[in-house]
Amino acid sequence: MFPRVILKGTMIKKSQQKKRTSPSNYKSRFFVLDTQDLKYSERRPGRKPLVKGCIKLNTIKCAEIVCTDVPIPCDFKYPFQVFHENHYLYIFAPDNDCRQRWVRALKEETKNNNLVAKYHPNFWMDGKWRCCQQTERLATGCHVYDPVGYASKKPLPLLPDPESEPEEGQRIVIALQDYTPIGVDDLPLQKDHEYVLINGSHADWWAVEDGVGNTGFVPSTYVALKYGNNFERFEWYNKNITRGEAEELLMKEGKEGAFMMRDSRQAGVYTVSVFTKAPGSNGEKNPRVKHYQIRQAETGEATYYLAEKYLFSTIPELIHYHQHNAAGLITRLRHPVSLDKRCSLDVSDILKDQWEVDPEELTLGRELGSGQFGLVLEGRWRETKVAVKMIREECMSDDDFKEEAKVMMKLSHSKLVQLYGVCTQRSPMCLVFEFMEKGCLSDYLRAKKGRISQDTMLGMCLDVSEGMAYLESSNFIHRDLAARNCLVSKNNEVKVSDFGMTRFVLDDQYTSSQCSKFPVKWSAPEVIRYSKFSSKSDVWSFGVLMWEVFTEGRLPYENRTNAEVVESLNSGLRLIKPRLAPDAVHQLMEWCWKEKPDDRPSFALLLHELASHTNL
Ligand code: ADP
């Protein structure tokens, strides 16, 4: 029987360093997984690809993602491992979805092999395993290997999602292949049939409904969103626009990375037009608009691409990717421009005065610190001392933020760090906040170690719960509550800061729960598993914050990696009671860490409980 191709695509491979002395290097290779082998070849323009390696599937003992904190020295940042015979092959995928697809397919094809019972979740590096520090390359693994990988990663049962975008009409997916359920809450799929997408927020499992009203989970890689050629709901799409009109509109917008997708003259083909001020190499005029046709590879699951290496199954996925990564384009796609949007901008101009800070009124002083978005400076605005966050352009999705700033400015409470306004006329853009003399809570706790009474600690938690109860009642989700995101005032009041800001971070390392900078140790299980944020996931983080307060600023799960934390949470383990926490406070923490969001208290209730334990 001929082997059947399962997956193919370009990824980066690290040399296997079979000899201890050989240097490590990273090479782009074209991988093909079929029912017999995993092959990789070198692509040579105009010539036949040269096969560089072939791994028989029956020699594979483990295929799993690599969880690591080390910087990855190649363009593709999502590593996974294939352990075969006595070799570890490290492969780097361009994004998490692609990595999951490969790992899942490899697991599926090798599940009946003679597999390892345990594997190493981190890299073999500099003569030892980064996960368990063992110095023998072939030492037994330190984590239980899950040969199926489906069951354990399934999301929690569906909950109504107040955050989900209101969609006009239903979202339809098409089955790419048949799927036979492996769990009781799965739904069978029939190739080419359509299903209604109920929840597509989890990376691996989507909830869908079939034509007769049955609902259940299906692997997200077995279906594709049916966009057809209907991109109208995307703000980056302009249907009836010529190349000349596109250029005019983008030049008028004049912002680096202003872009749109439009129909090409060639029917059925789309073009992405991007504005750039970057100097061209061939004496092109500057600034200018560059046009890239969206191309389609002939075969394979993911076919759309703009820059050769990065293939996607749908155009919206392709655009989304390039909104975060230039990856071969002259610039990342930063600001969607459309004819409709220009009309709505006029409306926002009317509101502008309410939140725009006049640069003339703002003076900047010494540096206070630096954060995710750039430097934080002390400043003065209208006779008031303020903190000014200077936003580095590449760190923030600033157009989205400007919209949201209007909402955030309306949130006003004595236990929230007030946003006074935004100064967009200065470059970089800056955000003007209430000044908090004593800096962030985590540093404050550490600096005052041994000198904070239990009553004061309780008072700190009470302050935060007050601010959070207000956010909860405003239906606003913080998403990154932690001691580092609370600030301390001159009179030792604690206030909640940075609420909602993670939505505007452009660094993937912060935003994907699989990545090194994601605050896994503060995140509720449903956030880690399928990015389900809610006030109840904030409550989980608040439990961790209480723990930070009562340990005087210790790092939660100090010596454990994110992967280890996830594993112990999954098996029901929780942070241990801080020595200084009264039993009643510890019980509140445990209540915040209930597995099911509904079983956790609301902030209103927490506030009530905490207040009843203080003498305030
Ligand atoms: P980011 O949100 O960009 O990550 P942070 O909020 O973490 O930035 O701020 C970085 C540092 O700047 C803080 O640790 C704190 O020392 C200082 N800082 C931030 N906001 C204020 C403020 N409102 N008042 C005083 N200092 C502040």
Side-chain angles (χ1 to χ4, degrees), residues 339-364:
L339 284 165
D340 298 346
K341 200 179 133 221
R342 280 190 345 138
C343 303
S344 65
L345 261 185
D346 300 340
V347 181
S348 67
D349 280 348
I350 301 166
L351 291 169
K352 201 168 138 189
D353 287 349
Q354 295 167 20
W355 53 276
E356 184 72 56
V357 167
D358 180 354
E360 297 278 295
E361 292 183 331
L362 186 65
T363 48
L364 298 176

PDB file of all heavy atoms in Angstrom, residues 339-364:
ATOM      1  N   LEU A 339     -12.951  52.257   3.822  1.00  0.00           N
ATOM      2  CA  LEU A 339     -13.787  53.430   3.550  1.00  0.00           C
ATOM      3  C   LEU A 339     -14.774  53.655   4.685  1.00  0.00           C
ATOM      4  O   LEU A 339     -14.945  54.754   5.172  1.00  0.00           O
ATOM      5  CB  LEU A 339     -14.554  53.210   2.245  1.00  0.00           C
ATOM      6  CG  LEU A 339     -13.697  53.383   1.000  1.00  0.00           C
ATOM      7  CD1 LEU A 339     -14.411  52.811  -0.194  1.00  0.00           C
ATOM      8  CD2 LEU A 339     -13.351  54.854   0.787  1.00  0.00           C
ATOM      9  N   ASP A 340     -15.386  52.560   5.169  1.00  0.00           N
ATOM     10  CA  ASP A 340     -16.372  52.689   6.243  1.00  0.00           C
ATOM     11  C   ASP A 340     -15.750  53.259   7.492  1.00  0.00           C
ATOM     12  O   ASP A 340     -16.303  54.081   8.168  1.00  0.00           O
ATOM     13  CB  ASP A 340     -16.955  51.320   6.608  1.00  0.00           C
ATOM     14  CG  ASP A 340     -17.655  50.740   5.433  1.00  0.00           C
ATOM     15  OD1 ASP A 340     -17.898  51.496   4.487  1.00  0.00           O
ATOM     16  OD2 ASP A 340     -17.938  49.532   5.463  1.00  0.00           O
ATOM     17  N   LYS A 341     -14.512  52.776   7.788  1.00  0.00           N
ATOM     18  CA  LYS A 341     -13.886  53.176   9.040  1.00  0.00           C
ATOM     19  C   LYS A 341     -13.627  54.680   9.054  1.00  0.00           C
ATOM     20  O   LYS A 341     -13.698  55.332  10.079  1.00  0.00           O
ATOM     21  CB  LYS A 341     -12.581  52.411   9.227  1.00  0.00           C
ATOM     22  CG  LYS A 341     -12.146  52.390  10.659  1.00  0.00           C
ATOM     23  CD  LYS A 341     -10.860  51.616  10.813  1.00  0.00           C
ATOM     24  CE  LYS A 341      -9.907  52.401  11.655  1.00  0.00           C
ATOM     25  NZ  LYS A 341      -8.583  52.367  11.203  1.00  0.00           N
ATOM     26  N   ARG A 342     -13.344  55.227   7.853  1.00  0.00           N
ATOM     27  CA  ARG A 342     -13.066  56.669   7.815  1.00  0.00           C
ATOM     28  C   ARG A 342     -14.284  57.467   8.262  1.00  0.00           C
ATOM     29  O   ARG A 342     -14.175  58.487   8.903  1.00  0.00           O
ATOM     30  CB  ARG A 342     -12.658  57.066   6.408  1.00  0.00           C
ATOM     31  CG  ARG A 342     -11.201  56.706   6.204  1.00  0.00           C
ATOM     32  CD  ARG A 342     -10.604  57.240   4.960  1.00  0.00           C
ATOM     33  NE  ARG A 342     -11.542  57.722   3.997  1.00  0.00           N
ATOM     34  CZ  ARG A 342     -11.369  58.839   3.319  1.00  0.00           C
ATOM     35  NH1 ARG A 342     -10.321  59.571   3.542  1.00  0.00           N
ATOM     36  NH2 ARG A 342     -12.231  59.211   2.413  1.00  0.00           N
ATOM     37  N   CYS A 343     -15.462  56.940   7.943  1.00  0.00           N
ATOM     38  CA  CYS A 343     -16.669  57.639   8.381  1.00  0.00           C
ATOM     39  C   CYS A 343     -16.776  57.585   9.893  1.00  0.00           C
ATOM     40  O   CYS A 343     -17.024  58.580  10.549  1.00  0.00           O
ATOM     41  CB  CYS A 343     -17.909  57.000   7.784  1.00  0.00           C
ATOM     42  SG  CYS A 343     -17.807  56.979   6.011  1.00  0.00           S
ATOM     43  N   SER A 344     -16.529  56.363  10.470  1.00  0.00           N
ATOM     44  CA  SER A 344     -16.729  56.259  11.904  1.00  0.00           C
ATOM     45  C   SER A 344     -15.670  57.047  12.675  1.00  0.00           C
ATOM     46  O   SER A 344     -15.902  57.473  13.782  1.00  0.00           O
ATOM     47  CB  SER A 344     -16.736  54.798  12.348  1.00  0.00           C
ATOM     48  OG  SER A 344     -15.463  54.263  12.119  1.00  0.00           O
ATOM     49  N   LEU A 345     -14.512  57.255  12.062  1.00  0.00           N
ATOM     50  CA  LEU A 345     -13.467  58.028  12.738  1.00  0.00           C
ATOM     51  C   LEU A 345     -13.942  59.438  13.058  1.00  0.00           C
ATOM     52  O   LEU A 345     -13.602  59.994  14.085  1.00  0.00           O
ATOM     53  CB  LEU A 345     -12.232  58.132  11.836  1.00  0.00           C
ATOM     54  CG  LEU A 345     -11.109  57.166  12.127  1.00  0.00           C
ATOM     55  CD1 LEU A 345      -9.922  57.470  11.245  1.00  0.00           C
ATOM     56  CD2 LEU A 345     -10.718  57.226  13.591  1.00  0.00           C
ATOM     57  N   ASP A 346     -14.772  59.997  12.162  1.00  0.00           N
ATOM     58  CA  ASP A 346     -15.257  61.348  12.400  1.00  0.00           C
ATOM     59  C   ASP A 346     -16.034  61.430  13.699  1.00  0.00           C
ATOM     60  O   ASP A 346     -15.941  62.385  14.435  1.00  0.00           O
ATOM     61  CB  ASP A 346     -16.150  61.806  11.239  1.00  0.00           C
ATOM     62  CG  ASP A 346     -15.346  61.790   9.948  1.00  0.00           C
ATOM     63  OD1 ASP A 346     -14.113  61.812  10.057  1.00  0.00           O
ATOM     64  OD2 ASP A 346     -15.952  61.736   8.871  1.00  0.00           O
ATOM     65  N   VAL A 347     -16.793  60.351  13.985  1.00  0.00           N
ATOM     66  CA  VAL A 347     -17.569  60.346  15.219  1.00  0.00           C
ATOM     67  C   VAL A 347     -16.620  60.354  16.414  1.00  0.00           C
ATOM     68  O   VAL A 347     -16.802  61.094  17.377  1.00  0.00           O
ATOM     69  CB  VAL A 347     -18.472  59.088  15.272  1.00  0.00           C
ATOM     70  CG1 VAL A 347     -19.294  59.090  16.542  1.00  0.00           C
ATOM     71  CG2 VAL A 347     -19.345  59.038  14.041  1.00  0.00           C
ATOM     72  N   SER A 348     -15.565  59.553  16.322  1.00  0.00           N
ATOM     73  CA  SER A 348     -14.672  59.496  17.476  1.00  0.00           C
ATOM     74  C   SER A 348     -13.925  60.812  17.658  1.00  0.00           C
ATOM     75  O   SER A 348     -13.523  61.152  18.757  1.00  0.00           O
ATOM     76  CB  SER A 348     -13.701  58.320  17.367  1.00  0.00           C
ATOM     77  OG  SER A 348     -12.837  58.544  16.306  1.00  0.00           O
ATOM     78  N   ASP A 349     -13.759  61.552  16.579  1.00  0.00           N
ATOM     79  CA  ASP A 349     -13.115  62.860  16.715  1.00  0.00           C
ATOM     80  C   ASP A 349     -13.907  63.769  17.647  1.00  0.00           C
ATOM     81  O   ASP A 349     -13.344  64.577  18.375  1.00  0.00           O
ATOM     82  CB  ASP A 349     -12.994  63.544  15.347  1.00  0.00           C
ATOM     83  CG  ASP A 349     -11.808  62.989  14.583  1.00  0.00           C
ATOM     84  OD1 ASP A 349     -11.005  62.278  15.224  1.00  0.00           O
ATOM     85  OD2 ASP A 349     -11.704  63.254  13.376  1.00  0.00           O
ATOM     86  N   ILE A 350     -15.239  63.609  17.611  1.00  0.00           N
ATOM     87  CA  ILE A 350     -16.077  64.461  18.458  1.00  0.00           C
ATOM     88  C   ILE A 350     -15.792  64.153  19.929  1.00  0.00           C
ATOM     89  O   ILE A 350     -15.744  65.035  20.776  1.00  0.00           O
ATOM     90  CB  ILE A 350     -17.573  64.232  18.144  1.00  0.00           C
ATOM     91  CG1 ILE A 350     -17.820  64.538  16.678  1.00  0.00           C
ATOM     92  CG2 ILE A 350     -18.477  65.043  19.050  1.00  0.00           C
ATOM     93  CD1 ILE A 350     -19.152  64.034  16.151  1.00  0.00           C
ATOM     94  N   LEU A 351     -15.569  62.856  20.190  1.00  0.00           N
ATOM     95  CA  LEU A 351     -15.338  62.457  21.577  1.00  0.00           C
ATOM     96  C   LEU A 351     -13.904  62.730  22.026  1.00  0.00           C
ATOM     97  O   LEU A 351     -13.587  62.692  23.199  1.00  0.00           O
ATOM     98  CB  LEU A 351     -15.594  60.944  21.723  1.00  0.00           C
ATOM     99  CG  LEU A 351     -17.036  60.496  21.577  1.00  0.00           C
ATOM    100  CD1 LEU A 351     -17.085  58.991  21.481  1.00  0.00           C
ATOM    101  CD2 LEU A 351     -17.846  60.971  22.782  1.00  0.00           C
ATOM    102  N   LYS A 352     -13.072  63.000  21.034  1.00  0.00           N
ATOM    103  CA  LYS A 352     -11.640  63.027  21.269  1.00  0.00           C
ATOM    104  C   LYS A 352     -11.225  63.934  22.438  1.00  0.00           C
ATOM    105  O   LYS A 352     -10.449  63.522  23.291  1.00  0.00           O
ATOM    106  CB  LYS A 352     -10.967  63.512  19.984  1.00  0.00           C
ATOM    107  CG  LYS A 352      -9.531  63.153  19.873  1.00  0.00           C
ATOM    108  CD  LYS A 352      -9.105  63.420  18.464  1.00  0.00           C
ATOM    109  CE  LYS A 352      -7.747  64.056  18.455  1.00  0.00           C
ATOM    110  NZ  LYS A 352      -7.390  64.513  17.142  1.00  0.00           N
ATOM    111  N   ASP A 353     -11.807  65.122  22.477  1.00  0.00           N
ATOM    112  CA  ASP A 353     -11.394  66.097  23.478  1.00  0.00           C
ATOM    113  C   ASP A 353     -11.477  65.574  24.896  1.00  0.00           C
ATOM    114  O   ASP A 353     -10.736  65.980  25.762  1.00  0.00           O
ATOM    115  CB  ASP A 353     -12.293  67.337  23.385  1.00  0.00           C
ATOM    116  CG  ASP A 353     -11.935  68.133  22.151  1.00  0.00           C
ATOM    117  OD1 ASP A 353     -10.893  67.802  21.557  1.00  0.00           O
ATOM    118  OD2 ASP A 353     -12.705  69.033  21.792  1.00  0.00           O
ATOM    119  N   GLN A 354     -12.440  64.655  25.095  1.00  0.00           N
ATOM    120  CA  GLN A 354     -12.631  64.203  26.464  1.00  0.00           C
ATOM    121  C   GLN A 354     -11.465  63.390  27.001  1.00  0.00           C
ATOM    122  O   GLN A 354     -11.291  63.281  28.194  1.00  0.00           O
ATOM    123  CB  GLN A 354     -13.896  63.366  26.542  1.00  0.00           C
ATOM    124  CG  GLN A 354     -15.117  64.192  26.242  1.00  0.00           C
ATOM    125  CD  GLN A 354     -16.324  63.303  26.009  1.00  0.00           C
ATOM    126  OE1 GLN A 354     -16.344  62.153  26.404  1.00  0.00           O
ATOM    127  NE2 GLN A 354     -17.324  63.849  25.367  1.00  0.00           N
ATOM    128  N   TRP A 355     -10.696  62.815  26.122  1.00  0.00           N
ATOM    129  CA  TRP A 355      -9.620  61.989  26.653  1.00  0.00           C
ATOM    130  C   TRP A 355      -8.234  62.395  26.156  1.00  0.00           C
ATOM    131  O   TRP A 355      -7.232  61.927  26.634  1.00  0.00           O
ATOM    132  CB  TRP A 355      -9.887  60.505  26.377  1.00  0.00           C
ATOM    133  CG  TRP A 355     -10.159  60.187  24.928  1.00  0.00           C
ATOM    134  CD1 TRP A 355     -11.346  60.291  24.289  1.00  0.00           C
ATOM    135  CD2 TRP A 355      -9.220  59.735  23.958  1.00  0.00           C
ATOM    136  NE1 TRP A 355     -11.218  59.923  22.981  1.00  0.00           N
ATOM    137  CE2 TRP A 355      -9.918  59.572  22.749  1.00  0.00           C
ATOM    138  CE3 TRP A 355      -7.855  59.434  24.002  1.00  0.00           C
ATOM    139  CZ2 TRP A 355      -9.303  59.143  21.596  1.00  0.00           C
ATOM    140  CZ3 TRP A 355      -7.242  58.999  22.841  1.00  0.00           C
ATOM    141  CH2 TRP A 355      -7.968  58.865  21.661  1.00  0.00           C
ATOM    142  N   GLU A 356      -8.207  63.320  25.217  1.00  0.00           N
ATOM    143  CA  GLU A 356      -6.914  63.732  24.667  1.00  0.00           C
ATOM    144  C   GLU A 356      -6.206  64.692  25.634  1.00  0.00           C
ATOM    145  O   GLU A 356      -6.788  65.676  26.070  1.00  0.00           O
ATOM    146  CB  GLU A 356      -7.147  64.417  23.317  1.00  0.00           C
ATOM    147  CG  GLU A 356      -5.897  64.823  22.588  1.00  0.00           C
ATOM    148  CD  GLU A 356      -5.113  63.652  22.013  1.00  0.00           C
ATOM    149  OE1 GLU A 356      -5.686  62.865  21.251  1.00  0.00           O
ATOM    150  OE2 GLU A 356      -3.910  63.547  22.313  1.00  0.00           O
ATOM    151  N   VAL A 357      -4.975  64.339  25.989  1.00  0.00           N
ATOM    152  CA  VAL A 357      -4.185  65.223  26.837  1.00  0.00           C
ATOM    153  C   VAL A 357      -3.370  66.143  25.924  1.00  0.00           C
ATOM    154  O   VAL A 357      -2.692  65.666  25.000  1.00  0.00           O
ATOM    155  CB  VAL A 357      -3.250  64.390  27.751  1.00  0.00           C
ATOM    156  CG1 VAL A 357      -2.200  65.264  28.398  1.00  0.00           C
ATOM    157  CG2 VAL A 357      -4.067  63.653  28.797  1.00  0.00           C
ATOM    158  N   ASP A 358      -3.452  67.426  26.167  1.00  0.00           N
ATOM    159  CA  ASP A 358      -2.720  68.398  25.360  1.00  0.00           C
ATOM    160  C   ASP A 358      -1.232  68.331  25.721  1.00  0.00           C
ATOM    161  O   ASP A 358      -0.865  68.520  26.886  1.00  0.00           O
ATOM    162  CB  ASP A 358      -3.305  69.791  25.679  1.00  0.00           C
ATOM    163  CG  ASP A 358      -2.609  70.891  24.898  1.00  0.00           C
ATOM    164  OD1 ASP A 358      -1.612  70.592  24.213  1.00  0.00           O
ATOM    165  OD2 ASP A 358      -3.072  72.046  24.991  1.00  0.00           O
ATOM    166  N   PRO A 359      -0.361  68.044  24.738  1.00  0.00           N
ATOM    167  CA  PRO A 359       1.070  67.902  25.070  1.00  0.00           C
ATOM    168  C   PRO A 359       1.653  69.155  25.729  1.00  0.00           C
ATOM    169  O   PRO A 359       2.588  69.065  26.517  1.00  0.00           O
ATOM    170  CB  PRO A 359       1.724  67.618  23.712  1.00  0.00           C
ATOM    171  CG  PRO A 359       0.696  67.831  22.683  1.00  0.00           C
ATOM    172  CD  PRO A 359      -0.645  67.823  23.331  1.00  0.00           C
ATOM    173  N   GLU A 360       1.070  70.304  25.439  1.00  0.00           N
ATOM    174  CA  GLU A 360       1.546  71.564  26.045  1.00  0.00           C
ATOM    175  C   GLU A 360       1.374  71.550  27.564  1.00  0.00           C
ATOM    176  O   GLU A 360       2.108  72.195  28.292  1.00  0.00           O
ATOM    177  CB  GLU A 360       0.713  72.743  25.496  1.00  0.00           C
ATOM    178  CG  GLU A 360       0.851  72.945  24.010  1.00  0.00           C
ATOM    179  CD  GLU A 360       2.096  73.730  23.683  1.00  0.00           C
ATOM    180  OE1 GLU A 360       2.136  74.894  24.077  1.00  0.00           O
ATOM    181  OE2 GLU A 360       3.010  73.161  23.046  1.00  0.00           O
ATOM    182  N   GLU A 361       0.347  70.804  28.000  1.00  0.00           N
ATOM    183  CA  GLU A 361       0.040  70.805  29.435  1.00  0.00           C
ATOM    184  C   GLU A 361       0.813  69.733  30.204  1.00  0.00           C
ATOM    185  O   GLU A 361       0.658  69.598  31.407  1.00  0.00           O
ATOM    186  CB  GLU A 361      -1.459  70.544  29.645  1.00  0.00           C
ATOM    187  CG  GLU A 361      -2.348  71.670  29.172  1.00  0.00           C
ATOM    188  CD  GLU A 361      -3.818  71.402  29.465  1.00  0.00           C
ATOM    189  OE1 GLU A 361      -4.232  70.222  29.511  1.00  0.00           O
ATOM    190  OE2 GLU A 361      -4.551  72.364  29.636  1.00  0.00           O
ATOM    191  N   LEU A 362       1.585  68.946  29.465  1.00  0.00           N
ATOM    192  CA  LEU A 362       2.249  67.795  30.092  1.00  0.00           C
ATOM    193  C   LEU A 362       3.762  68.003  30.139  1.00  0.00           C
ATOM    194  O   LEU A 362       4.385  68.252  29.116  1.00  0.00           O
ATOM    195  CB  LEU A 362       1.916  66.539  29.266  1.00  0.00           C
ATOM    196  CG  LEU A 362       2.378  65.204  29.811  1.00  0.00           C
ATOM    197  CD1 LEU A 362       1.693  64.863  31.121  1.00  0.00           C
ATOM    198  CD2 LEU A 362       2.099  64.093  28.788  1.00  0.00           C
ATOM    199  N   THR A 363       4.340  67.904  31.344  1.00  0.00           N
ATOM    200  CA  THR A 363       5.807  67.956  31.417  1.00  0.00           C
ATOM    201  C   THR A 363       6.309  66.620  31.945  1.00  0.00           C
ATOM    202  O   THR A 363       5.661  65.999  32.801  1.00  0.00           O
ATOM    203  CB  THR A 363       6.307  69.086  32.337  1.00  0.00           C
ATOM    204  OG1 THR A 363       5.574  69.021  33.548  1.00  0.00           O
ATOM    205  CG2 THR A 363       6.163  70.449  31.707  1.00  0.00           C
ATOM    206  N   LEU A 364       7.441  66.192  31.432  1.00  0.00           N
ATOM    207  CA  LEU A 364       7.950  64.867  31.794  1.00  0.00           C
ATOM    208  C   LEU A 364       9.170  64.990  32.687  1.00  0.00           C
ATOM    209  O   LEU A 364       9.985  65.901  32.520  1.00  0.00           O
ATOM    210  CB  LEU A 364       8.307  64.088  30.525  1.00  0.00           C
ATOM    211  CG  LEU A 364       7.139  63.824  29.581  1.00  0.00           C
ATOM    212  CD1 LEU A 364       7.603  63.135  28.315  1.00  0.00           C
ATOM    213  CD2 LEU A 364       6.076  62.976  30.279  1.00  0.00           C
TER     214      LEU A 364
END
